[in-house]
Amino acid sequence: RKVLSVLLIFYMVAALFAQEEDSDWFWNHEISKIEFEGLKIIKKAEISGVISSFIGKDFTEEVYSEMIDKLNELEFFQDIEPYATHDKNPEKILLVFKVTEFPSVEKIEFIGNQKIRNGELRELIKTKAKEIYNENRLLVDERLIREHYIEKGYTDSLVSHSVEDIEGGVKVTFTITEG
């Protein structure tokens, strides 16, 4: 019975060391396929062009950093968590990115605009309903609205925005002082 206990402990310790040794198994293996988990708004086709060039490359720290940089440049995701799984071919890996998208813009409102109608402003801005929320794009939209007012002769106009969490995403409100 003692021998069995000692053997069991030995195998458990050996298994732990084997797991530690295998924790880096995926480095320098060829990427056979890249998949995404957690996509709700973004379609895989929107990301494929950015990521497909990495298929067939060896998975190195440099390749990993480049992939993460390219995904972050898209400004679609709050969180990106990669993991690798074995491919059918033991020399290749299947790379999976578990992502959390930024919320979607569910509603866009304009407050304070009397001289320019909502539809005209909606066509002007880059932010659209049912697309991923992007703070930088909203700042561009503010500038576009302000420039449009200046072109129409309202040089004292001011534009700001606010974002409110609502069910299913966010509501963007542009507040306009026409001046």
Side-chain angles (χ1 to χ4, degrees):
R1 191 169 198 158
K2 283 185 182 181
V3 172
L4 254 159
S5 296
V6 170
L7 281 173
L8 184 61
I9 291 171
F10 174 76
Y11 284 120
M12 289 173 61
V13 170
L16 281 173
F17 281 117
Q19 283 180 348
E20 285 180 25
E21 197 174 299
D22 289 342
S23 66
D24 290 340
W25 67 268
F26 47 82
W27 292 115
N28 299 312
H29 282 72
E30 183 181 329
I31 301 168
S32 65
K33 190 174 183 183
I34 300 170
E35 294 184 351
F36 290 86
E37 290 179 1
L39 295 178
K40 295 177 182 171
I41 302 163
I42 301 300
K43 301 202 178 0
K44 187 177 178 185
E46 294 179 72
I47 305 168
S48 292
V50 172
I51 253 10
S52 62
S53 64
F54 293 100
I55 295 174
K57 290 187 177 183
D58 285 347
F59 189 64
T60 62
E61 287 187 35
E62 184 180 322
V63 167
Y64 170 70
S65 291
E66 194 176 335
M67 292 173 84
I68 293 296
D69 288 346
K70 287 191 178 281
L71 288 171
N72 282 328
E73 284 173 12
L74 295 172
E75 298 182 335
F76 289 158
F77 308 114
Q78 293 180 48
D79 189 43
I80 302 171
E81 187 180 315
Y83 65 91
T85 62
H86 289 282
D87 188 73
K88 292 173 187 173
N89 178 339
E91 296 301 313
K92 296 183 179 186
I93 63 168
L94 166 64
L95 195 56
V96 181
F97 289 96
K98 185 176 179 183
V99 297
T100 304
E101 296 174 340
F102 283 111
S104 69
V105 175
E106 292 299 310
K107 191 172 186 181
I108 301 172
E109 291 184 347
F110 300 94
I111 296 174
N113 58 312
Q114 301 297 314
K115 297 173 173 109
I116 298 177
R117 59 184 177 74
N118 287 351
E120 188 175 341
L121 294 174
R122 219 176 286 288
E123 288 176 18
L124 180 71
I125 62 174
K126 303 294 181 200
T127 301
K128 305 296 178 197
K130 303 298 179 196
E131 289 184 357
I132 292 287
Y133 161 74
N134 181 309
E135 181 65 26
N136 292 331
R137 193 177 315 137
L138 290 175
L139 296 172
V140 169
D141 289 341
E142 279 185 16
R143 192 182 79 236
L144 289 171
I145 294 169
R146 170 104 170 87
E147 288 171 356
H148 191 65
Y149 268 90
I150 290 171
E151 287 173 10
K152 298 276 186 174
Y154 305 107
T155 56
D156 294 333
S157 63
L158 300 172
V159 180
S160 64
H161 77 274
S162 61
V163 179
E164 177 186 340
D165 289 329
I166 61 171
E167 187 175 329
V170 296
K171 174 176 84 170
V172 175
T173 304
F174 290 97
T175 303
I176 302 164
T177 306
E178 292 182 322

